[in-house]
Amino acid sequence: DKAVADALRNCVMKGIGVYVDSTTLGSNYHVIEDDILMHADGFAVLDEVVSSSEANGILRVKVKASVSNRPLAEKLKALGLLHEWKVGVIVREESGSVSEAEIARALLKDGYRVIDEARRKTLAGNETAARAAGGDARALKSIKREFDVDILVAGQASAEYVDQDEIGGVMFYRTRGHIVAKAYYADTGELLSMTDEFGDGLDQTKALSNSKCLKDLGRRAAEALSEDIMLAPARQTPFVTVKIAALKNISDASDLERAVKQISGVTQVKRQRFAGGTLELNVYVKSAYRDELPVRIERSAQGKKLGISIDIWSKSLVQGRAGKI
């Protein structure tokens, strides 16, 4: 029984590894152990004991178990250990942005970082926004760089008057609407979630009916997308590959490597190679500082001295070149 219980804890630990990066996991292990692993049977169900063996007084078992992702993710979220996704929202309507505002409000309430209304208007007016909303990977990366969002929610909503009913001597107008919304990883263009919802609105004027319908559609879409975003796996790469080209010599490369080691949040730097003027490093950085790494490289004293500019930036790759040799 103890061996099986230990195996279940290992299964749950693998599940946790899907949602929590290694740095966050290491610094919060005691919390995870006390609040989750000690209650592993609440998150995993034993399917079968695949094998067992005994040697030198030690019993080992291999098990197959089902880990419940949603309860596990909800617990990690309550503990503040899930990745803090930053979300941008674009929903096109014939007039106004009722459903867009409702989606943003609902996601914010669910604990996600959502760009504010002013930034959403700027985002919607961005010339690449339409391509990004269609899933164009290059446009999404552009949105990522300019608006610093991890996930872009993009969609289209519409509502139209269909009929009217008299209820208790009061006339009510009915509107029927439809929304299609998709959530993309901004750095890769991968589709994370999609929802297709229909809804009705009933109120005493056509305008109020229309607004109520679009708000309902926004709430429905946000509810569907929010769960998929919560269950989205954290990036598993424990390091960021940094490639800087056009360096003059090994001395410049070594000075830059030392400068990267001193950047806030960087825990370890491993040089992979220096060839043809290009330095390649594997930089281990705390998740909270990962998005700031490109800017901090450019703004470091050595970065300014070498005139480094970053032209490619994702969760796992930072690439640029030196401009002052």
Side-chain angles (χ1 to χ4, degrees):
D1 289 343
K2 289 182 178 179
V4 168
D6 191 48
L8 285 179
R9 283 193 290 271
N10 289 339
C11 289
V12 173
M13 196 64 187
K14 286 188 175 183
I16 292 171
V18 172
Y19 300 112
V20 182
D21 63 46
S22 57
T23 302
T24 303
L25 187 62
S27 59
N28 293 276
Y29 183 78
H30 292 300
V31 174
I32 291 171
E33 183 177 38
D34 293 342
D35 290 341
I36 298 180
L37 297 182
M38 292 297 290
H39 311 283
D41 55 350
F43 301 100
V45 176
L46 177 67
D47 294 328
E48 64 174 307
V49 176
V50 178
S51 63
S52 63
S53 62
E54 185 178 356
N56 300 321
I58 298 175
L59 177 67
R60 288 183 171 85
V61 297
K62 181 177 181 180
V63 307
K64 180 180 180 181
S66 300
V67 177
S68 302
N69 287 348
R70 181 171 181 175
L72 182 59
E74 286 177 344
K75 184 62 177 179
L76 290 167
K77 184 177 180 180
L79 293 172
L81 299 180
L82 280 187
H83 183 85
E84 293 184 358
W85 300 109
K86 187 173 182 181
V87 185
V89 183
I90 308 173
V91 179
R92 302 191 183 282
E93 296 173 11
E94 290 183 4
S95 60
S97 55
V98 177
S99 58
E100 175 183 291
E102 196 63 33
I103 290 174
R105 188 180 299 112
L107 291 177
L108 191 63
K109 185 178 179 181
D110 282 348
Y112 301 104
R113 295 183 298 156
V114 181
I115 60 176
D116 59 28
E117 184 178 2
R119 294 281 283 169
R120 290 203 309 273
K121 288 181 178 178
T122 305
L123 174 60
N126 187 284
E127 62 180 11
T128 60
R131 298 200 312 276
D136 183 272
R138 183 172 296 180
L140 281 161
K141 286 184 178 180
S142 177
I143 295 294
K144 163 71 177 177
R145 289 193 298 269
E146 186 170 348
F147 293 90
D148 187 29
V149 296
D150 300 305
I151 292 171
L152 179 69
V153 173
Q156 187 165 353
S158 62
E160 60 180 9
Y161 164 74
V162 290
D163 59 29
Q164 60 191 50
D165 296 312
E166 186 176 331
I167 304 175
V170 179
M171 190 63 69
F172 285 85
Y173 297 87
R174 185 181 304 278
T175 299
R176 184 159 296 157
H178 178 219
I179 187 170
V180 175
K182 299 178 181 180
Y184 298 96
Y185 287 111
D187 58 346
T188 65
E190 297 171 87
L191 180 64
L192 168 60
S193 179
M194 177 179 176
T195 185
D196 189 338
E197 305 285 343
F198 292 87
D200 292 338
L202 186 67
D203 216 309
Q204 295 180 36
T205 70
K206 289 182 180 180
L208 289 173
S209 173
N210 186 79
S211 178
K212 182 172 287 187
C213 178
L214 289 169
K215 282 186 177 181
D216 180 61
L217 289 173
R219 283 192 294 270
R220 288 169 181 248
E223 183 178 348
L225 296 173
S226 180
E227 181 168 343
D228 285 343
I229 294 173
M230 179 182 71
L231 295 176
R235 299 305 186 186
Q236 295 302 298
T237 304
F239 58 82
V240 178
T241 299
V242 175
K243 294 182 180 180
I244 304 297
L247 294 171
K248 183 179 180 180
N249 50 45
I250 189 64
S251 178
D252 285 341
S254 296
D255 289 343
L256 179 59
E257 182 179 346
R258 282 192 291 270
V260 172
K261 288 180 179 178
Q262 295 172 4
I263 291 175
S264 297
V266 172
T267 59
Q268 187 178 11
V269 176
K270 294 182 179 179
R271 183 187 298 185
Q272 295 303 295
R273 63 184 60 83
F274 176 69
T278 298
L279 173 66
E280 181 177 335
L281 305 171
N282 285 347
V283 180
Y284 293 74
V285 58
K286 295 179 180 178
S287 57
Y289 293 85
R290 187 167 295 185
D291 288 345
E292 302 174 14
L293 183 62
V295 174
R296 290 180 180 271
I297 291 174
E298 287 185 342
R299 293 180 180 177
S300 68
Q302 191 64 20
K304 291 179 179 179
K305 179 180 177 181
L306 296 173
I308 290 175
S309 60
I310 303 299
D311 49 29
I312 295 177
W313 168 29
S314 72
K315 292 288 185 182
S316 58
L317 175 65
V318 173
Q319 188 168 307
R321 60 189 298 110
K324 298 176 182 178
I325 302 299

